[in-house]
Amino acid sequence: MSNTLVLEEASSLPIPTGERPPPTKSPGLEALLAMAQASDFADIERAAGEGATVVWGFIMGWNPLFRALNVISGEMGLIADSIKFSADAVSVAESYFQIPVETCTPVKARAGLHHMRRKTTNIKRHVQFAGDCGMSDVMSELLRKEGLEVYAVEPISPFKFDPTRRDEFVRFYVDEIQRLSHWLVGKPVDETILAAELKTRNVVARKLDRILELRLRNPFHVSLADVFLLGGGSFDYFAHDTNYFENRRKYIAILDQLIEELENVPEADDFVPLLKVGGCPFCGELCRVVDEANGAIVGNNMLEPALYREDVSPVESLAHFMLDQQIEGRGEDKSGGSFTATAHHISQQLRKTNARGVIVTGVTNCPYTSIAQQYWHDYFKKQNIPVIVMVADTHVKPTEEVKMRLKAFIEMLA
Amino acid sequence: MPTPRKKRRTKIATQKASPAGIARLIENEQQSLIDAQGIKKVGYLCAYTPLELLGAAGVKRARLLKGGNPDTVAHGELHTQSAFCDFTKSCIGGFEEGDPLYRSFDKIYNFHSCSSMKRASEAIAQFVPTKMLNLPRLRDEQSSRNFFREEILNLKRDLENLTGTSITDEEVRRQIVLHNQARLLLKKFSELRKRKNPPLSGKEYLELVRGYYYLPPETLLPSYEELYRRYEKPGRAAKRDDKPRLRLMVSGSIVADGDRRLLDIVEDELGADVVIEDHCAGFRPFHHLVPETGDPYQALADGYLDQAPCARMKPLSESVEFSARLAQEYNVDGVLYVYLKFCACHGISKIDFTTRFQEIGLPTLEISSDYSQSDHGQLKTRLEAFVEMLNDQKNIDHEQYANA
């Protein structure tokens, strides 16, 4: 499936086509890389052509629903291709869609790519979580004229959550899940299959959690870029939307292999533990800069594998999951969450990981991350926690100046 | 709060109703809000906020609508950096720079309209307690309507906690009737602009709308009524030119209280009339009324969701069609599509609006705007060229009609 592209975005973004990440010494990671590289986004297009239910778009945390309905999301492939073809795609977005030039590259590139692919793609439907960032959300409306059937999931947000309203919120999302199921496949989701998907995901989440925990001893054996890869082809790398590289059993076996490796690697010498906060994928090159400077990112507002509840019906479990990620600020704008909640969440990670500093990342020209960056910067500064803000265009290589700033920050903390 | 309202009515009776008079009333009300003791003061951000509930709670209220000042924008940028729309920056900047009105609020309410405003609320919460509420996007879904009713009840409970007094259903119903009277008058004022020679300018209409967002209807209605009686008389025209003036629509992002530079150029310098607006500080929210019967909270939920849609509502085509219908209904010669830089709702969607205007034969000038003052010359040149082109077209049309 689209995992090669996931790999490119996660661990080497934005390297030119054909380039590959440096070889790893970990047999587990080698196996994972091989899984990722064995598949291709063209498979998804082919599957759509052969009658599989494939949609663009995704909903953070609800991938088990898609899997239970036997629906494939092509969004990861689109995102990765939008990086590959960003120059043309951005140009199309600005001319054909007349999207204002000040709009962030990820939104423009995806819009442009949809137009470029309109005649060749077999995927004709798009699902939009309307609580996603405003730019993405409005852009999805433009796709209707490209011949796509666009479906919106109504977002509600708990904001400052009143726990007495949990049942009401859950009921609402349960209705939305059933409405979405009907749109996707014409019937409600089979709860037995969904329960099994959630259970598997929880097994994986516990293993990922263990890897993160072990990684605190030696973060270089599995670098940050590798951590993203560990998410198994998920949109937010480590969270909840994994497709297990389309081979669940093998994927889980590799996680076990990695746990064993990490349990046996020696503790790393002195390094600078850091946290990263921000919705922007941390470019592979910047990951390498952190490693070279003897820093190690040991936590992230998206790098925490949360569990699905198994004590309620599986549909309710998905609803609780959506609500909880909003309350805790996980996934931030992608889940309709709040950036003040994210700051609180990352503070807890600081205590857990003993990180010495915070790297705040953001996408160039993203209004929503710009305000969050400033808030996070001020928030951590008030707590006397060293913080640096790194803003980058996700589709352009980081400049030397950006890399130097990051190195200087880590050296200062060493 | 019956006693203060009576006093206000008495005071108004001595003032001559006019758009300038409305502006004076607003100024007095804002000062009174700043000075008031023993009464809760509430700010709100979006035209989807049910003011009926604020009225029923007996709070003093004002919309966070100020904008157009680059200094305030600069204060907002301390929180947002530059990549943000200037209106949102102004809302935050007002608190940062210590605007006495903004700083006097006990609480801010914000229905989640656009993503920028959602984020702004979190920044504003650093200055004043702020409550965000959900505003559905899928107007046709019953579950969305039901949830919106619950959010309105949530607002009611919060207001009751804030003021320490209960809000009765009767008072909510009374407020719906009062606000409907104001909305209806604003609609009627606007319809007067369908006349060949409109009795009020676009700027004057925005003054009337400004009144709605800052003044309680008890204060506003006597002025509206007196003014309407005057304006509806046949033959009254805002501008007495010999030749017919161009009729324009402004569509797009919010036009803030204080952001009048485009209207100044169009109406005062170029001699055209803005006869209708499709934005949330102009006519758009006054196209529909709130039902006056049945459960008042469901009525508010339905009434506000059924109002002419903001571009954040889904599907976008409903907002586009409304805008196109409005342009035709008001027989405009052209459209100024104005969006604030970094406004997702109106920036990214502009192609759908401008294409639709062109489909119905309306020349459209697209303007990307902010509150800087440095592009006045460029803006004026573009507007001049557009108006000149429309005037030429209009003269050709007149000549063809005369020769037919």
Side-chain angles (χ1 to χ4, degrees), chain A residues 59 62 65 69 151 153 170-192 194 313-316 318-319, chain B residues 141 143:
Chain A
I59 299 167
W62 284 5
L65 175 71
L69 293 168
Y151 177 90
V153 171
V170 166
R171 273 198 309 277
F172 183 86
Y173 274 130
V174 164
D175 287 347
E176 282 302 287
I177 291 163
Q178 297 296 13
R179 198 168 64 88
L180 173 62
S181 302
H182 275 279
W183 181 76
L184 286 168
V185 298
K187 60 182 180 186
V189 63
D190 182 320
E191 298 211 7
T192 309
L194 180 59
S313 81
V315 178
E316 285 174 343
L318 281 179
Chain B
E141 290 294 331
S143 56

Side-chain angles (χ1 to χ4, degrees), chain A residues 143-318:
Chain A
L143 302 180
R144 294 179 194 274
K145 286 195 174 167
E146 296 303 286
L148 284 175
E149 186 187 348
V150 178
Y151 177 90
V153 171
E154 180 81 271
I156 54 171
S157 181
F159 305 117
K160 283 175 189 163
F161 187 50
D162 171 4
T164 63
R165 296 186 72 195
R166 178 173 280 271
D167 288 348
E168 181 194 336
F169 277 72
V170 166
R171 273 198 309 277
F172 183 86
Y173 274 130
V174 164
D175 287 347
E176 282 302 287
I177 291 163
Q178 297 296 13
R179 198 168 64 88
L180 173 62
S181 302
H182 275 279
W183 181 76
L184 286 168
V185 298
K187 60 182 180 186
V189 63
D190 182 320
E191 298 211 7
T192 309
I193 299 173
L194 180 59
E197 284 291 340
L198 297 183
K199 209 175 178 81
T200 306
R201 170 59 209 174
N202 281 348
V203 168
V204 168
R206 289 190 182 97
K207 292 183 189 299
L208 292 172
D209 205 28
R210 177 70 180 144
I211 291 172
L212 282 184
E213 191 188 341
L214 289 168
R215 194 175 164 265
L216 293 177
R217 296 171 58 244
N218 185 336
F220 301 112
H221 188 74
V222 177
S223 76
L224 179 68
D226 301 325
V227 168
F228 289 150
L229 183 65
L230 285 176
S234 70
F235 178 83
D236 47 14
Y237 311 120
F238 212 60
H240 329 288
D241 297 310
T242 181
N243 62 14
Y244 314 112
F245 295 123
E246 297 306 325
N247 188 338
R248 183 169 11 200
R249 192 168 295 175
K250 189 173 173 188
Y251 168 73
I252 291 174
I254 291 174
L255 294 187
D256 286 333
Q257 185 182 348
L258 276 168
I259 289 171
E260 200 181 327
E261 281 179 27
L262 281 163
E263 280 171 341
N264 293 302
V265 292
E267 276 194 35
D269 293 337
D270 190 34
F271 61 89
V272 181
L274 300 162
L275 291 183
K276 172 192 164 306
V277 55
C280 161
F282 204 59
C283 305
E285 282 207 31
L286 290 185
C287 297
R288 283 196 278 278
V289 172
V290 173
D291 284 353
E292 282 164 19
N294 215 32
I297 294 176
V298 293
N300 176 317
N301 59 318
M302 287 185 170
L303 289 183
E304 197 168 56
L307 298 175
Y308 292 90
R309 284 179 63 173
E310 294 184 35
D311 60 334
V312 293
S313 81
V315 178
E316 285 174 343
S317 180
L318 281 179

Side-chain angles (χ1 to χ4, degrees), chain A residues 97-98 130 134 137 141 154 156-157 165 168 179 332-333 336-340 367-368 370 372-374, chain B residues 78-81 83-84 115 118-119 122 132 134 136-138 144 150-151 154 314 316 341 348 350-351:
Chain A
F97 287 117
Q98 294 181 29
D137 187 46
E141 288 291 311
E154 180 81 271
I156 54 171
S157 181
R165 296 186 72 195
E168 181 194 336
R179 198 168 64 88
E332 239 227 285
D333 248 351
S338 109
F339 62 80
T340 46
Y368 318 123
S370 84
Q373 284 154 24
Q374 195 60 46
Chain B
L78 294 174
H79 296 265
T80 66
Q81 304 177 12
F84 228 82
S115 293
K118 176 187 161 198
R119 297 257 149 171
E122 291 193 72
M132 285 283 297
N134 286 283
R137 285 174 171 78
L138 307 177
S144 296
E150 291 302 317
E151 283 295 79
N154 182 21
K314 288 177 180 291
L316 177 65
K341 286 189 179 77
I348 293 186
K350 68 177 177 172
I351 182 75

Side-chain angles (χ1 to χ4, degrees), chain B residues 139-378:
Chain B
R139 307 190 305 156
D140 297 334
E141 290 294 331
Q142 191 56 48
S143 56
S144 296
R145 281 176 187 262
N146 294 345
F147 188 80
F148 192 41
R149 180 183 178 276
E150 291 302 317
E151 283 295 79
I152 286 169
L153 286 170
N154 182 21
L155 171 64
K156 174 178 178 273
R157 285 190 295 273
D158 203 86
L159 283 164
E160 286 173 337
N161 286 336
L162 181 73
T163 60
T165 53
S166 295
I167 295 173
T168 65
D169 294 357
E170 290 68 32
E171 183 57 17
V172 176
R173 286 195 190 94
R174 194 180 78 85
Q175 288 288 332
I176 289 174
V177 171
L178 276 173
H179 282 81
N180 271 348
Q181 287 170 3
R183 275 189 279 260
L184 187 60
L185 276 164
L186 281 169
K187 188 171 183 181
K188 288 167 72 177
F189 274 118
S190 187
E191 283 172 348
L192 294 176
R193 297 188 289 174
K194 290 180 179 174
R195 291 179 184 170
K196 191 176 168 187
N197 219 340
L200 72 167
S201 68
K203 276 203 292 189
E204 286 172 328
Y205 187 75
L206 291 196
E207 279 304 291
L208 303 182
V209 171
R210 212 163 66 90
Y212 181 85
Y213 290 121
Y214 287 126
L215 298 167
E218 296 91 334
T219 306
L220 195 57
L221 282 168
S223 293
Y224 273 3
E225 285 159 359
E226 186 190 333
L227 201 54
Y228 185 76
R229 281 194 295 274
R230 194 136 35 92
Y231 279 2
E232 72 170 339
K233 285 178 185 160
R236 183 190 157 82
K239 309 279 180 188
R240 296 194 177 279
D241 294 349
D242 290 337
K243 60 179 182 181
R245 290 160 63 96
L246 276 181
R247 302 171 61 81
L248 299 175
M249 175 162 96
V250 174
S251 176
S253 300
I254 189 169
V255 175
D257 171 10
D259 178 21
R260 296 288 182 268
R261 63 183 186 139
L262 185 133
L263 281 168
D264 287 341
I265 295 172
V266 169
E267 295 197 322
D268 298 346
E269 297 182 40
L270 302 180
D273 286 330
V274 172
V275 296
I276 187 66
E277 311 83 16
D278 176 31
H279 59 72
C280 68
F283 172 69
R284 188 200 290 146
F286 306 107
H287 191 262
H288 287 71
L289 301 181
V290 172
E292 294 181 0
T293 55
D295 169 34
Y297 308 105
Q298 191 63 55
L300 288 173
D302 291 340
Y304 277 86
L305 284 182
D306 286 337
Q307 73 179 13
C310 164
R312 57 87 76 183
M313 293 297 189
K314 288 177 180 291
L316 177 65
S317 55
E318 290 183 357
S319 308
V320 173
E321 280 311 310
F322 173 78
S323 206
R325 273 202 312 276
L326 211 53
Q328 289 175 313
E329 205 180 303
Y330 279 77
N331 194 27
V332 302
D333 299 303
V335 180
L336 300 172
Y337 187 81
V338 188
Y339 66 95
L340 287 165
K341 286 189 179 77
F342 294 104
C343 170
C345 292
H346 295 282
I348 293 186
S349 66
K350 68 177 177 172
I351 182 75
D352 279 15
F353 282 92
T354 54
T355 303
R356 186 72 188 111
F357 294 138
Q358 283 155 7
E359 279 170 2
I360 58 173
L362 288 175
T364 303
L365 179 66
E366 172 200 314
I367 295 169
S368 166
S369 174
D370 58 25
Y371 298 159
S372 66
Q373 303 297 313
S374 56
D375 62 344
H376 181 270
Q378 186 197 45

